[in-house]
Amino acid sequence: GQLGPPQKHRGGMADMESAGPSPGGIGARSGAAVVGLRRSAFAAVASSPPVTRGLACALVFCFFLQLLLGDAFRKQFSLVPAKVIPKLWMLLTAAIVELNPLMLLVNIAVLFFAGGALEPLWGWKELVKFLCMINVAGFFLLTATYVVAFVALRNVLVLYSQFGGFTVSAAGLLLGLKQAAPEEEVRPNPQSQGLRYKYLPLVFLASSLVLTGVLEEGSPFFMALYGTLASWFYIRRFQRRPDASALGDQSESMRLVTLLPEAVQPTIETMAKSIFSKRGGAQQGGASQKDLLPVSNNPEANRRRERGAAALEKRLETMAKKEESSSPAPDADA
């Protein structure tokens, strides 16, 4: 009789099909990571303070409202550079009119992560004032940018484009985390390498630049950039803290140069020192030099930072305990 197909080959394929993914394989680890992230997200939402939850609800509500009503809603409440005057409220309302679903997800995640930590630390009044100030400044700068683009390109459509979203606020909240606890780390799971809070503003800027390329629209990067700069200026010059008499945070960790990658900071500081020395020293360029270059330690600012870091660490521990208590008990047969 005729010989059948090679049994060794068939057996090998059957063994591979029946083997399935190993318990410690990539699939199992990915599934565990997804479950961990989902539990962390639920814990963050459940433990979030009222203003943070309210802002998240407003973002979702306005996103679907602008989908339903279209231009009738967006022309009134999103940012339209040609209509900012006289509709000045656009500088505030544009912050909650999210126009892109991807940016909506990113910004809500940042809101629960950063806003949930800063609201108990700053107080809801200071948080609301902070967000209002940086959004007005950020969207004003965005308007000015597109006016300059109109002058350069002679394209009137630039002035009638619609912009909006929580990106300005998200950038500011991450800078607030950098101020409160720069050495704290965020970890997607306990086994992964942590990312320090002081790097989050730069990472968010880089991510916004990538999203700008993906969406082929420049506003995400500009909103993140202006949100970072506006929030830095507010925290550095005007922020009022209940445990401090002076306005602003004059500590070294909040110098403008610290927003840049650490590898280029010495070069920037050397260049700034050379520029200020040519202008006649610190008396002529005192304010800007103090912001860019190293200054003497401020004991009051250091004590304020230590108290803020302790309060933030306590809140993170509370969230972790809530997450552990809400997670199901492990199966006895496992």
Side-chain angles (χ1 to χ4, degrees):
Q2 297 181 352
L3 295 175
Q7 297 298 316
K8 183 178 180 181
H9 175 72
R10 292 181 62 191
M13 291 296 294
D15 291 341
M16 290 176 64
E17 293 174 357
S18 61
S22 61
I26 297 177
R29 290 196 298 269
S30 300
V34 170
V35 171
L37 287 174
R38 185 169 58 189
R39 289 176 181 171
S40 299
F42 286 150
V45 173
S47 62
S48 60
V51 171
T52 299
R53 279 201 305 268
L55 284 172
C57 292
L59 285 172
V60 175
F61 177 74
C62 289
F63 175 74
F64 286 105
L65 198 59
Q66 63 91 16
L67 288 180
L68 291 173
L69 301 181
D71 285 343
F73 180 81
R74 289 191 291 266
K75 287 182 179 179
Q76 295 296 323
F77 298 106
S78 66
L79 181 75
V80 182
K83 297 183 178 182
V84 169
I85 299 177
K87 298 179 180 180
L88 295 176
W89 62 82
M90 287 182 172
L91 297 176
L92 274 178
T93 57
I96 57 173
V97 183
E98 196 71 69
L99 304 177
N100 184 277
L102 178 59
M103 294 305 301
L104 175 68
L105 295 176
V106 172
N107 288 333
I108 285 183
V110 174
L111 172 60
F112 279 118
F113 172 69
L118 289 178
E119 185 176 340
L121 185 63
W122 287 1
W124 71 269
K125 290 182 180 180
E126 175 63 26
L127 180 66
V128 170
K129 183 175 73 172
F130 170 74
L131 293 178
C132 288
M133 295 290 287
I134 68 171
N135 275 290
V136 169
F139 282 111
F140 174 80
L141 291 172
L142 186 65
T143 300
T145 299
Y146 281 93
V147 169
V148 172
F150 162 71
V151 173
L153 302 176
R154 298 294 179 182
N155 183 359
V156 72
L157 295 178
V158 171
L159 294 180
Y160 289 89
S161 301
Q162 298 169 354
F163 307 100
F166 202 70
T167 305
V168 172
S169 299
L173 292 174
L174 291 177
L175 194 73
L177 279 185
K178 165 184 164 62
Q179 179 210 22
E183 301 302 325
E184 288 286 337
E185 293 184 346
V186 56
R187 297 175 182 268
N189 58 71
Q191 288 75 30
S192 63
Q193 185 176 2
L195 178 66
R196 293 180 181 178
Y197 286 0
K198 64 182 180 181
Y199 300 132
L200 292 180
L202 186 62
V203 171
F204 188 72
L205 269 176
S207 302
S208 300
L209 183 61
V210 173
L211 287 173
T212 294
V214 171
L215 301 176
E216 297 182 350
E217 200 268 307
S219 63
F221 173 72
F222 284 120
M223 285 194 287
L225 176 63
Y226 296 149
T228 301
L229 294 176
S231 58
W232 173 83
F233 188 77
Y234 177 85
I235 290 174
R236 186 73 169 173
R237 295 297 182 188
F238 300 111
Q239 187 183 51
R240 185 181 296 277
R241 303 286 293 274
D243 55 352
S245 57
L247 293 178
D249 185 343
Q250 300 300 318
S251 62
E252 288 194 29
S253 61
M254 283 304 295
R255 289 175 295 131
L256 183 60
V257 73
T258 61
L259 300 180
L260 301 174
E262 290 184 348
V264 303
Q265 288 181 20
T267 303
I268 299 299
E269 290 177 348
T270 302
M271 293 173 58
K273 188 180 297 183
S274 174
I275 292 172
F276 286 119
S277 63
K278 290 179 181 179
R279 291 180 57 188
Q283 291 185 350
Q284 292 183 345
S288 298
Q289 186 179 23
K290 185 178 180 181
D291 288 338
L292 282 170
L293 301 179
V295 296
S296 59
N297 288 331
N298 187 331
E300 184 179 6
N302 290 336
R303 288 195 299 269
R304 188 168 67 246
R305 186 170 311 284
E306 290 174 1
R307 286 193 290 268
L312 182 58
E313 186 176 358
K314 183 177 180 181
R315 172 165 176 78
L316 294 175
E317 291 177 357
T318 303
M319 291 176 61
K321 291 179 180 178
K322 288 183 179 180
E323 180 182 347
E324 292 176 0
S325 62
S326 62
S327 60
D331 191 354
D333 297 333

